[in-house]
Amino acid sequence: MNMISPAISSATTSHEDIPTFVAAMAAAVTPVSIVTTDGPAGRYGVTVSAVSSVSAEPPMVLACINLRSPALDAIKKNGVFCINMLSEEQCDVANSFAGRPGKFNPYDFDVATWEHLSTGAPALCNAAANFDCTLERLDNASTHSILLGIVSSAKHTNNKPLAYTARSYQALDALNIQ
């Protein structure tokens, strides 16, 4: 890891604008992912919706994790993480790692089958895609940390991805536009 940056200064948005911002963000369509880690600091995972590719050369991705998440400290100490983009059949896994387990325990790795790619971070079997990373950089921004990772290994399936919009999980279908 190269750098941990200080927190970015707080925004100038008024508190009255926050509900409008939150409502507008609910219209965004995002992939549902679980960011996992394993190593000397332990095995952790957390459901996130803010992930993105950063570059192809070198392969780099980012994920945003709440500063209060115990997974964040473990990722810092372990220096590795895996972004697991869930398939549409994995809503229960997403709920478990969001702390809303329903029929499973919260943050329970026994809710699914896992494998290891190259870093040792848990990679979810049958996910739409997995991006196994070494932590390159971490920047704090308000309530979250932005993790930048160099992708050591990537894997994908033909499973349809799970999306999140309008405060609910969604399955994606092609539009068949000619």
Side-chain angles (χ1 to χ4, degrees):
M1 176 174 60
N2 290 343
M3 183 178 177
I4 298 179
S5 297
I8 296 171
S9 62
S10 59
T12 58
T13 305
S14 73
H15 292 289
E16 294 82 30
D17 293 341
I18 291 172
T20 301
F21 170 78
V22 170
M25 286 305 301
V29 179
T30 63
V32 180
S33 299
I34 297 174
V35 178
T36 57
T37 190
D38 200 357
R43 189 180 201 198
Y44 289 86
V46 63
T47 300
V48 303
S49 59
V51 299
S52 181
S53 64
V54 175
S55 69
E57 293 182 31
M60 185 181 280
V61 292
L62 69 77
C64 297
I65 298 180
N66 192 294
L67 291 170
R68 295 177 301 188
S69 173
L72 182 60
D73 286 332
I75 291 167
K76 288 180 199 177
K77 292 174 184 166
N78 292 338
V80 298
F81 64 95
C82 186
I83 296 175
N84 301 280
M85 291 189 166
L86 277 56
S87 65
E88 62 184 15
E89 296 85 23
Q90 295 174 319
C91 294
D92 289 336
V93 183
N95 283 334
S96 177
F97 283 88
R100 298 185 307 266
K103 58 185 174 182
F104 300 103
N105 291 322
Y107 311 102
D108 186 1
F109 280 90
D110 290 335
V111 74
T113 304
W114 304 85
E115 62 183 334
H116 296 284
L117 301 180
S118 58
T119 70
L124 180 62
C125 295
N126 298 314
N130 312 87
F131 301 93
D132 198 19
C133 305
T134 56
L135 183 60
E136 175 70 13
R137 182 177 170 145
L138 186 144
D139 290 303
N140 290 336
S142 187
T143 59
H144 286 67
S145 281
I146 304 163
L147 285 65
L148 291 171
I150 300 292
V151 178
S152 301
S153 185
K155 179 179 174 183
H156 67 93
T157 65
N158 290 325
N159 295 336
K160 290 183 178 181
L162 181 63
Y164 192 78
T165 188
R167 295 187 172 86
S168 66
Y169 297 124
Q170 304 288 325
L172 299 177
D173 287 318
L175 292 176
N176 296 323
I177 297 174
Q178 301 291 331

